[in-house]
Amino acid sequence: MTQAAQTRHKTGWYLLGPAFVAAIAYVDPGNVAANVSAGAQFGFLLLWVIVAANVMAGLVQYLSAKLGLVSGRTLPEAVGAALSRPARLAYWAQAEIVAMATDVAEVIGGAVALRILFGLPLLVGGVITGLVSLLLLGIQDRRGQQLFERVITGMLLIIAVGFTASFFVATPPPGSVIGGLTPRFRGSESVLLAAAMLGATVMPHAVYLHSGLARDRHGHPAAGPQRRRLLRVTRVDVGLAMVVAGGVNGAMLLVAALNMAGRGGTGSIDGAYAAVRDTVNPTIAVFFAIGLLTSGLASSSVGAYAGAMIMQGLLYRAVPLLMRRLVTLAPSLLILAVGLDPTRTLVLSQVVLSFGIPMALLPLVRLTSDRRLMGPDVNHRLTTVVGWVVGVLISVLNVMLIVLTVKG
């Protein structure tokens, strides 16, 4: 094989994958809870939030992957190198809280799905979800990243089928869908759900993780044609992954708006399953539950993977996989044991993630706009401006959330 052919081979379609692993974070049980709640309570009103969040997520994930490729560092490593020890430990503490909030959504979602499908108690379902996610992590640990990417991408396809199957039975009216693309709110609860949907889409742990996924998959090439080709591949990877994730998220809200608006008891995942079963088709409802279970299993493993990367980058130490899994799993199992409302807990966990977004996004924009670190692949000035605007908008939304919730 000639050198030119080898180069083309190295930039082929099979280099896609890291973004699809990160995209699992965008179709996790937290998304299900937030999107179903939004559709059931407000119909098509908040569809625009999903569209805006996915556009933001595409930019953020590309910047994260670019940081890993160009600098050879993960985002946690790059942030840690720029901070004093006390500041680095404080930054790690908030990132760890975000990782735990992530696991709450994933494990509870998997537990709810197992209860729906097999009638298992939530605590037992949570333990099973944690164990299966550990097995998935074992694939990455023993067989390498590429096989892990293929397994997770396959699970992403199952999730997509599970959450979009109802469109083969009934589709929403086009006028209502178009109306849902107009940005607006309706009271403090809609702002709460918007923040939850944003936190469930632009996931902080996915921002941290993607920098490591891209670096570990593609290496740290020197500036030049090969790196530019890899950056182009990365843009395609991110674009395709965001189209899939955005389509699935939009489908969740549209299904809820079409089948659950105005129905009692549809504000929970169990209620959503019952509504799909009663108004659409029992088989489609089973697809919904399988999609939920798959999203809980896959996203839990990806979240734990991100947590290990965060800890290693900020604390400069690797933690055994089992110990790392137990650290983030414990709060989830405690919540299940206490008996808190699963869907409400899921939504609130996404709000916690929303508050963690600026802590990941603002340093990312700052680092990728640093010419000393990024060289010729530094952000374009417009990209930097848009990145700062996105960070500020998310921060403002969080402030609105606090004010309106207190007043309410």
Side-chain angles (χ1 to χ4, degrees), residues 32 112 129 162 190 193 216 226 289 303 316 329 364 370 376 389 404:
V32 180
V112 170
T129 301
S190 68
L193 283 172
D216 294 345
Q226 176 64 8
Y316 306 149
L329 186 61
L364 175 64
D370 185 347
V389 169
L404 292 176

Side-chain angles (χ1 to χ4, degrees), residues 28-30 32 103-116 122 129 269 289 292-297 336 342 346:
D28 73 346
V32 180
D103 223 31
V104 166
E106 331 300 31
V107 173
I108 290 179
V112 170
L114 287 169
R115 182 177 67 182
I116 291 172
L122 285 176
T129 301
I269 293 177
L292 175 63
L293 175 60
T294 308
S295 76
L297 298 176
L336 292 174
L346 277 170

Side-chain angles (χ1 to χ4, degrees), residues 16 19-20 57-59 61-62 65 210 233-243:
L16 305 177
F20 284 85
L59 171 64
Q61 293 305 137
Y62 173 67
H210 203 166
V233 170
T234 298
R235 285 194 288 270
V236 173
D237 193 25
V238 171
L240 291 175
M242 290 302 102
V243 167

Side-chain angles (χ1 to χ4, degrees), residues 8-18 20 149-150 217-218 233 236-237 240:
R8 286 194 298 271
H9 188 57
K10 289 179 181 178
T11 56
W13 63 267
Y14 71 94
L15 288 177
L16 305 177
F20 284 85
E149 287 176 3
R150 290 169 188 156
R217 178 70 183 275
H218 302 309
V233 170
V236 173
D237 193 25
L240 291 175

